[in-house]
Amino acid sequence: MKILIAACFGLLLLLPACRKEKIEKDQLKEFSLASADNGVTYSIKVALPENYNASRQYKTLYVLDPQWDFNLVALACRKQARENGRDDIMVIGVGGGNDRLDDYLPVPLYGKSGRADDFIRFLRETLIPVMERDYQAEASRAGRGIVGHSAGGLCVTYCFTNYPDLFGTYLALSPALWVGDLVVLKNEKANRAANQDRTGIFFLAEGELEEEVMHAPIAAFRQVLQQYYTGYAQQYHNAKGLDHLGSKAPNMQKAIAFYVQHL
Amino acid sequence: MSNIYNPFMRFILITISLLVAAPCLWAQQAAPAGLELSPAIGATGSIVKPTVSAMLRLPLNHRLSVVSHSLFSLLLFRNQPQTYMQTHYNYSLTQKFGLGYALYGKGGKARHTVFLLGGIRYATFKESLDHPDLDRVTTVTSTVVPDYGLMYGLSLGRKRYTFDTRLYLPFSPIRYYPQGTLNNLVYLEFGIGIKRCGGNKGQFRGR
C-alpha cells in the first residue's frame, strides 16, 4: 500500500512532463545577436512558417520571455494559421540578454535598472533589420507584432505608448501596469494626442484571480484604449478562475487567435 | 478591509467565531467518539495571506479517515504596497472534503497523513487605482473556483491534545499544472489537534 501511494504521488508530480509539443527542427532557426548599443548578446529563435519560401515577405510576431513562451506562441500561431488559411507568419523569440526586468521595465525596480529603452533600440536598430534582410520579414509597422506576459506585457504597452511606429500589433497579457507608479498609464496620457489616430491590433488580457495590484490599472488601460484608440481592432479577455501564471496559456491562445484573424 | 456591514463579511465573522468556538463545544463531548478537531492558523503562498482553519477527521480504521477542512484567509497587509493603489478588502473561504491515509512513527507519537481533498473556494476582492493625474478606477472580483489537491499532515503527541501541522499542495486547475496552478491555494498551517474524549472506541494510538 505504501509503495502504491508513493507511486501515485510520483506520477502526479511527473504529470507536466507528459505533454510537450515542439516546433520541428527544420522549421526552427537559432542564432545570437549582439546589441550594437551595449554589446549584450541576445539569443534569437525563429519559427519559420510552413512552406517557408525565401522569395516572399512574412509578417513577424516578436515574443518576449521566449524561454517560457516561445513554443506556446509558435504552436498557437501555427494552429491558427492553418485554421485561417495563412502561411505568412513568422514567430521570433528574443531571449538571453540582460535580466528580464532590466530589459522589459522602463523604470528601475527590485534593484534592476529598467532599460527598456535600450532593449527596444536593440529591436529597432539590430534585430528587425536582420529579420528583414535575412528572413524576408515585412518592412512595415503593420507587418510587425509583439507579445509579452507580465513584465513582458508591460514592455508591450510601453512600446505602444512610447514607440508606436515600431509595431502594429500589441498582445499584452497581464501587463504589470502598476510598475513605476503607473508610468505606462501616465505615458499613454502624455502621448495620447500624437498616438490616438494610429491603427492596428490590440489584445489585452488578465486572469480573474490576479490580486492586489493588477486589476485596477488594467481596467484603466482598457478604458483609455476603448475611448481613445478607436482605430485599433481590440479585444479584452478575463480568464475566469485563473491567476497571473494560470491565465497565461489560455490568454495566449486567445491572443494569437485574435491576431491571426485580424491580420 | 472596512466593509464590516457587508452581509457576506458578517457571515465570515460568524464562521470564524464558530471555528474558534468549536473546541469549546468539543469539551462537552457532543461529537462521535474517535472524531478529531484541529483548528489552526497559517498563511497562504503567493500572495501571502494569514489563514484560520479547522479540520475535522473521522477515522474509518487504523489508516483511513474521512476529513472536512474549512479555511478562511484574509489579506491583512499589502504584499506589494503601491502609493496609488488601494485594496478595500480581499478574503476567501474554502471548504474541502476528502480521504486521509495515515502512517505512524515509532511509539505512535507521530502520525503522518496524506489527504486527498476536493471542494470549492469563494474569493472576493475590491481594489482601486487613485492617481491624481489619472481617472479613478475601482474593480470588484467575486468568484467561486474548484479547489483540489494533496495535503500532508503531521500530528505529534498521543494524548488528547496534539501538535498539528499541515501543508496543502493544490492541483487545481489541473489543465495548467504546474505553472498554472493557483499559487494562492498553497498554504502551511500549525494548530492543536483535539481528540474526542469518552472511551477509546475509534481512537487510534498508532503502533
Side-chain angles (χ1 to χ4, degrees):
Chain A
M1 188 65 176
K2 289 178 193 174
I3 295 170
L4 185 66
I5 287 174
C8 289
F9 192 67
L11 278 174
L12 277 171
L13 295 178
L14 287 173
L15 211 60
C18 300
R19 40 160 201 222
K20 293 281 180 191
E21 204 182 338
K22 286 185 176 173
I23 299 288
E24 296 81 7
K25 277 187 178 173
D26 60 327
Q27 289 172 336
L28 192 64
K29 303 291 177 191
E30 295 184 65
F31 58 94
S32 296
L33 203 55
S35 165
D37 215 27
N38 54 21
V40 174
T41 301
Y42 289 88
S43 304
I44 310 301
K45 259 184 170 183
V46 183
L48 299 173
E50 289 176 306
N51 307 315
Y52 174 76
N53 181 338
S55 65
R56 58 179 293 194
Q57 297 273 293
Y58 291 93
K59 300 188 183 306
T60 46
L61 182 62
Y62 291 82
V63 184
L64 305 181
D65 287 322
Q67 70 277 22
W68 299 318
D69 300 338
F70 181 78
N71 274 346
L72 183 62
V73 175
L75 290 168
C77 225
R78 174 159 301 182
K79 178 174 176 282
Q80 288 298 326
R82 281 178 187 156
E83 288 177 8
N84 290 276
R86 299 201 71 111
D87 59 355
D88 60 345
I89 306 166
M90 193 159 22
V91 175
I92 301 152
V94 193
N98 298 305
D99 182 282
R100 63 191 293 273
L101 295 187
D102 280 320
D103 275 343
Y104 299 161
L105 303 187
V107 293
L109 185 77
Y110 301 143
K112 302 297 177 185
S113 53
R115 297 202 297 263
D117 294 299
D118 291 349
F119 176 69
I120 295 165
R121 194 176 307 120
F122 163 75
L123 295 180
R124 180 196 294 277
E125 295 176 4
T126 308
L127 179 57
I128 288 173
V130 166
M131 294 311 300
E132 289 171 359
R133 187 190 66 215
D134 298 344
Y135 290 88
Q136 287 69 52
E138 272 188 30
S140 70
R141 172 184 179 272
R144 288 191 291 267
I146 185 166
V147 55
H149 173 261
S150 193
L154 180 75
C155 189
V156 170
T157 57
Y158 187 61
C159 288
F160 174 77
T161 58
N162 286 45
Y163 300 93
D165 60 321
L166 203 51
F167 299 102
T169 295
Y170 304 88
L171 311 179
L173 312 183
S174 302
L177 292 169
W178 54 271
V179 167
D181 283 340
L182 311 161
V183 63
V184 165
L185 287 167
K186 288 186 278 189
N187 286 348
E188 182 284 322
K189 191 172 184 183
N191 300 333
R192 187 179 296 161
N195 293 344
Q196 69 181 107
D197 292 333
R198 290 184 182 275
T199 58
I201 299 169
F202 205 113
F203 184 91
L204 180 66
E206 63 183 322
E208 186 185 33
L209 289 176
E210 298 196 46
E211 300 174 56
E212 272 223 289
V213 290
M214 297 298 290
H215 275 310
I218 289 174
F221 195 69
R222 184 185 168 202
Q223 275 182 16
V224 295
L225 279 177
Q226 289 177 337
Q227 191 172 352
Y228 299 109
Y229 297 88
T230 51
Y232 280 80
Q234 295 179 32
Q235 192 174 81
Y236 163 79
H237 186 252
N238 187 356
K240 299 290 176 197
L242 296 173
D243 65 6
H244 190 63
L245 287 176
S247 63
K248 182 164 75 171
N251 281 342
M252 194 69 88
Q253 304 284 352
K254 297 263 183 197
I256 299 299
F258 184 72
Y259 163 64
V260 175
Q261 285 159 15
H262 287 81
L263 266 179
Chain B
M1 323 288 174
S2 59
N3 65 338
I4 197 151
Y5 300 108
N6 179 321
F8 194 79
M9 195 66 189
R10 275 187 244 167
F11 169 70
I12 281 166
L13 290 173
I14 291 168
T15 305
I16 294 172
S17 306
L18 286 175
L19 289 178
V20 174
C24 304
L25 297 172
W26 207 255
Q28 296 174 12
Q29 302 188 354
L35 201 64
E36 289 179 28
L37 173 74
S38 177
I41 56 169
T44 62
S46 174
I47 60 176
V48 178
K49 286 193 267 188
T51 65
V52 181
S53 72
M55 176 178 265
L56 271 174
R57 176 179 176 273
L58 178 65
L60 299 175
N61 59 35
H62 184 61
R63 302 278 186 205
L64 289 173
S65 56
V66 290
V67 293
S68 160
H69 186 269
S70 310
L71 178 139
F72 171 70
S73 66
L74 174 71
L75 185 73
L76 285 180
F77 54 89
R78 301 289 303 272
N79 286 216
Q80 290 179 291
Q82 294 293 313
T83 312
Y84 303 109
M85 303 290 296
Q86 184 185 358
T87 297
H88 302 273
Y89 59 84
N90 181 326
Y91 54 85
S92 68
L93 259 179
T94 307
Q95 177 60 52
K96 295 192 284 287
F97 297 97
L99 281 174
Y101 183 80
L103 299 170
Y104 295 88
K106 283 182 181 174
K109 285 183 180 175
R111 187 183 67 210
H112 307 269
T113 312
V114 175
F115 301 100
L116 185 61
L117 298 173
I120 56 170
R121 181 172 74 127
Y122 172 82
T124 184
F125 47 95
K126 180 178 179 182
E127 295 158 354
S128 288
L129 176 157
D130 196 359
H131 189 287
D133 297 334
L134 302 168
D135 292 340
R136 181 182 164 87
V137 173
T138 297
T139 60
V140 178
T141 300
S142 296
T143 191
V144 176
V145 292
D147 181 359
Y148 45 85
L150 284 178
M151 178 183 279
Y152 165 74
L154 171 65
S155 188
L156 296 174
R158 52 184 301 174
K159 296 189 176 174
R160 188 177 183 204
Y161 296 97
T162 57
F163 170 75
D164 288 3
T165 181
R166 298 187 285 264
L167 174 67
Y168 178 64
L169 299 172
F171 286 112
S172 52
I174 194 74
R175 186 175 173 193
Y176 306 113
Y177 176 85
Q179 192 186 40
T181 299
L182 291 168
N183 283 314
N184 53 10
L185 295 183
V186 178
Y187 51 79
L188 179 64
E189 305 173 324
F190 300 94
I192 303 292
I194 307 162
K195 292 187 177 77
R196 156 79 166 84
C197 282
N200 287 327
K201 188 184 176 186
Q203 293 192 39
F204 303 102
R205 298 296 191 195
R207 293 171 183 168

